[in-house]
Amino acid sequence: MNIIACARQVPTLESTIKPLPSPPFIDASGITYMTNPFDEYAVEEGIRIKERLGGGELTVVTVGPEGADQMLLNALAMGADRAVHVNVTEKNSHRLDSFAIASLLRDAIDEKGKKYDVILCGKEAVDNRQGAVGIELAELLGLPHVAAVTKLEIDSGAKKATARRQIEGAWEIVECQLPAVFTCHKGLNEPRYPPLPGIMKARKKPHKDISDVEMPAAKLSLKKLEHLPRRKTGKKLEGDVIQMTGELLRLLHDEARVI
Ligand SMILES: Cc1cc2nc3c(=O)[nH]c(=O)nc-3n(C[C@H](O)[C@H](O)[C@H](O)COP(=O)(O)OP(=O)(O)OC[C@H]3O[C@@H](n4cnc5c(N)ncnc54)[C@H](O)[C@@H]3O)c2cc1C
């Protein structure tokens, strides 16, 4: 079974995002990166599918600048078998909309003569939040797509998958033929920490670097990033519990006008 996990780096919570008025639109100096949390579920699920089936290959693919290598190493240390890095420079990143990213992923995944069975993506990237790349990738490859799965069973013999997803008030259980694309949601699994032997082996695993790619035409172009309005500073209530409760009720009634 050939499994693909698509993963990208996103800023850590400690990063300071400073919008700029013109390209590249973000001042990267205060940003450190981590793996997109939903993509960790994708990598973990790929490893678990291999473990359950007792074999297979998991390739982790990213489109991103040089620094994305660290994220790939982490996935290899967790248990992925090989990595593919479509190297785009930081100054080009803002030009790539979700469709362009999906096109680059399609080209990277569609290696000649190599078949794939399961493609796993995150439900969304927690910074840009388009939640579109997995769906567009499925369309570009002409494959079925199941969104936001919280359980996935693979029948390698019948080449079928059964996926569970939460809808309003119920679980929806769907079945599809493989190959197919699944986007992974919280609850699917608990991503493992890379074990020490995995960390030692990671650098020796196959790592394909694809540079000088032609930038696909994007369907959206970023015009500007605007600062969010500053949050009003909070109010600290003083006094004992009775005084604070009275003041809280007054503020909710007179100022916030919610009661
Ligand atoms: C100003 C600006 C600067 C940017 N700089 C960077 C940057 O330095 N580095 C960077 O990586 N992105 C950068 N981007 C984001 C890049 O343009 C987005 O990856 C793209 O728009 C895809 O949309 P999304 O992030 O909302 O993905 P979504 O559609 O929310 O992603 C869903 C899933 O698709 C997969 N996926 C998405 N993107 C990728 C990818 N690149 N590689 C592999 N799998 C992927 C993941 O599994 C992800 O969970 C920047 C964007 C802007 C606006």
Side-chain angles (χ1 to χ4, degrees):
M1 176 120 327
N2 187 8
I3 308 155
I4 311 274
C6 300
R8 64 164 282 213
Q9 57 172 18
V10 292
T12 55
L13 295 177
E14 301 77 44
S15 296
T16 317
I17 311 286
K18 285 190 220 131
L20 297 174
S22 54
F25 292 113
I26 284 182
D27 172 4
S29 59
I31 303 183
T32 53
Y33 291 95
M34 62 177 190
T35 307
N36 179 41
F38 291 108
D39 302 352
E40 286 198 328
Y41 299 133
V43 173
E44 176 64 33
E45 195 59 21
I47 299 168
R48 289 188 189 204
I49 294 171
K50 277 199 320 161
E51 287 171 347
R52 286 196 290 264
L53 299 178
E57 184 184 68
L58 171 63
T59 304
V60 55
V61 186
T62 196
V63 176
E66 210 66 45
D69 263 345
Q70 193 49 47
M71 184 203 63
L72 292 175
L73 268 179
N74 192 59
L76 292 170
M78 281 170 76
D81 300 291
R82 56 191 286 266
V84 177
H85 184 177
V86 182
N87 216 317
V88 291
T89 60
E90 225 156 75
K91 68 178 184 344
N92 276 327
S93 293
H94 70 275
R95 295 209 184 96
L96 295 168
D97 67 348
S98 53
F99 184 76
I101 299 274
S103 307
L104 289 170
L105 286 173
R106 184 258 328 262
D107 295 346
I109 288 168
D110 230 358
E111 293 175 277
K112 282 186 186 67
K114 229 173 162 52
K115 289 202 180 110
Y116 44 81
D117 304 287
V118 175
I119 300 177
L120 301 159
C121 289
K123 178 181 83 81
E124 63 180 27
V126 295
D127 56 353
N128 267 55
R129 297 225 156 113
Q130 284 271 38
V133 171
I135 301 160
E136 288 168 332
L137 178 61
E139 280 301 303
L140 288 169
L141 292 169
L143 299 180
H145 160 257
V146 189
V149 305
T150 53
K151 192 172 177 189
L152 185 59
E153 282 164 15
I154 302 294
D155 182 339
S156 57
K159 289 258 172 198
K160 270 189 181 168
T162 309
R164 184 185 73 181
R165 43 195 310 281
Q166 191 171 349
I167 58 169
E168 193 58 39
W171 296 116
E172 187 181 61
I173 318 291
V174 296
E175 199 179 72
C176 68
Q177 265 329 116
L178 296 178
V181 178
F182 304 89
T183 65
C184 303
H185 202 353
K186 191 170 190 279
L188 177 62
N189 54 48
E190 196 59 54
R192 69 195 68 191
Y193 287 106
L196 193 57
I199 296 172
M200 315 279 276
K201 282 187 209 148
R203 283 190 190 276
K204 295 192 184 121
K205 291 185 175 176
H207 187 129
K208 183 173 166 187
D209 206 77
I210 305 174
S211 304
D212 298 327
V213 282
E214 205 177 307
M215 288 294 140
K219 290 180 185 279
L220 305 180
S221 67
L222 180 62
K223 288 291 156 210
K224 60 176 174 173
L225 289 184
E226 291 182 337
H227 282 276
L228 292 174
R230 272 184 188 278
R231 274 201 196 161
K232 279 190 190 163
T233 47
K235 260 191 185 144
K236 195 171 174 195
L237 303 178
E238 307 278 351
D240 60 25
V241 175
I242 305 288
Q243 287 165 327
M244 286 194 289
T245 311
E247 177 62 359
L248 180 61
L249 287 172
R250 188 193 69 72
L251 288 169
L252 290 172
H253 184 266
D254 296 351
E255 290 192 14
R257 295 177 192 276
V258 291
I259 54 172

